[in-house]
Each structure stands twice: as C-alpha cells, then as structure tokens.
Amino acid sequence: MTIYGITGASGQLGRLTTEALVQRVSPEQLVLITRSPGTLAEYGARGIEVRAGDFNDADSLRAAFAGIDRLLIISTDRVGDRLEGHRRAIAAAKDAGVSHLLYTSVPEPTPENPAGVVPDHAATEQAMRESGLGWTFLRNALYAEGQLGTIEQAAASGQLVTNAGDGKNAYVTRADCARAAVAALVQGPGNASYDITGPAALSTADLAALAAGLRGSAVEVVDVSDEAYVQGLVEHGLPEPIAELLASFGTATRLGFLSTVSTAVADLTGTPPAPLSSLVPGAQPR
C-alpha cells in the first residue's frame, strides 16, 4: 500500500489538496504534516493520520516522514528565508526512506526571471535533483484568487494601477493546483516538471474589463514604473520589502516570464482549469 504525505497541510492549498486526495485514496494511505496538528483535528476524526513536523527541526521531519512513499512538499511562505527549511525537509525525506518528492514551485525558475520568489524555488528544485530521490516540480502560476483584491479595488476606484505593462499572466485557481498535485502524487511518472496554469494568459486590460463588469463603467489601466509602483504600495501602508516583492511579479509579467499557458491541469486530471472570471460574480469567461 502506497502512503502519501502532504506538508503544510493546514494551509489553503494543503487543505484543498487533502480534500482532493481523499477522493482518490483511502484515509489510511494519507499522512498530513503541520507545525500545529491541532488545526487538523477534523481530519484525524476522519481516520487520517496527522503528524507534527517543523521545517526548522530536522528530527521532527524525519519522524513525520517515516513510512511515507510519495511526499508533496508545499513551499513555505517565508520568502527569502525558507531555503534552508526546504533543504532540511529534502534531507529528512531521504533519511526517512521517502522514494519520491513533489514540490510546489514557480514558472520559469531561471536567473533571468526577476520575480522575488525565484531564488528560493530554483535552489529547492536543484536540491531535489541532487537528492537522489525521484522528483516532480509543480510550477504553479500566480493564484487567480490573489487577483480578486486588485479587481475589487479597481472596480471601486475606476483605475487599475500596474507595473506589468502589456505582459500577461496565466492565473490558476488553488483548486486546480490541488487537483493537479493530487494527480501527480497518485499517478505521476518519474522525474517531471509541469507548468500548472489557467486556461488563458490575461493582461491587466483583461483584469480591468472584469473590474468594469463589477463597476458598471469603464476602468482605466494606469501604467507606472517599478519604482513608482513600489512607492505607491508603501504610501498605502505596505512594508517596503513586501511592496518590492509584489512589484517583482509585475516586472516578471511585463518581461513575459508568467505568460506560458499549458495543458498540464487537463492532462493530469482530465478536466480543464477554471478561468479567473469564474471567481468574479457576473463576469464573462476570459
């Protein structure tokens, strides 16, 4: 019997992945790993084993990964300060006898990609390649859910301020990322990487059109420089490091690093991904 594990199981993607996985395998085949097992008590009540595992504690990870055959490592959210934890998890998985690792990465994790998350993901992928274990990279596009605030703010103000220029983004829903992860976890082949994207690449003009549908009138796209975008976010209360990280995604979009549309979700799951517009009430598909 194959045993599947999920780290970060108490997060949004972790919970969605868990719900999708229990539709495919029996509860006794699933192990959920989290720093706070109490937050997943409802899964324990459903016969799923929940274990404590902290990416800062190698011993806890080795114990948490014991007996697991295929392990999904959901990247932690400490951007710029998570690589050592990821490396610790990879080493612990090898020590525990895990045979195959899956990891939630980012599109085009190359030195040329200016998105601020790229160095962590690229180095984690490299560590997995060098581990001697089987690996699968799930290179998730930006979450569609993350654009809802932008759309709502644009609808309220009549302007969508961006540093993305004419670039496009293949936004994908968390639910589709979860479905793809489960398919790769259960049936995926040997070493492989997948671009997990939505069905289309959208521009800021497309987002403005969705916002206009909510507003009931046109929404203007206001293009600004990277520096002006950061300054505007800081003036609205965001810490400068977070503002710079958000701006880096706009830069990456403008330069074309996030525009690839793939068929991976449909290929893996048999069902096409949902458009961003499906999350916006009254919007037309885009």
Side-chain angles (χ1 to χ4, degrees), residues 49-66:
E49 185 172 2
V50 179
R51 298 177 183 172
D54 188 331
F55 277 40
N56 291 318
D57 182 347
D59 289 338
S60 77
L61 293 177
R62 280 190 288 270
F65 298 161

Side-chain angles (χ1 to χ4, degrees), residues 227-244:
E227 295 76 15
Y229 191 74
V230 170
Q231 182 180 353
L233 293 176
V234 170
E235 289 175 353
H236 281 81
L238 280 183
E240 188 166 346
I242 295 177
E244 290 176 344

Side-chain angles (χ1 to χ4, degrees), residues 161-165 204 222-226 229 246-251 254:
V161 180
T162 179
N163 67 322
T204 49
V222 179
D223 290 302
V224 299
S225 67
D226 295 339
Y229 191 74
L246 294 176
S248 77
F249 287 113
T251 307
R254 187 176 69 245

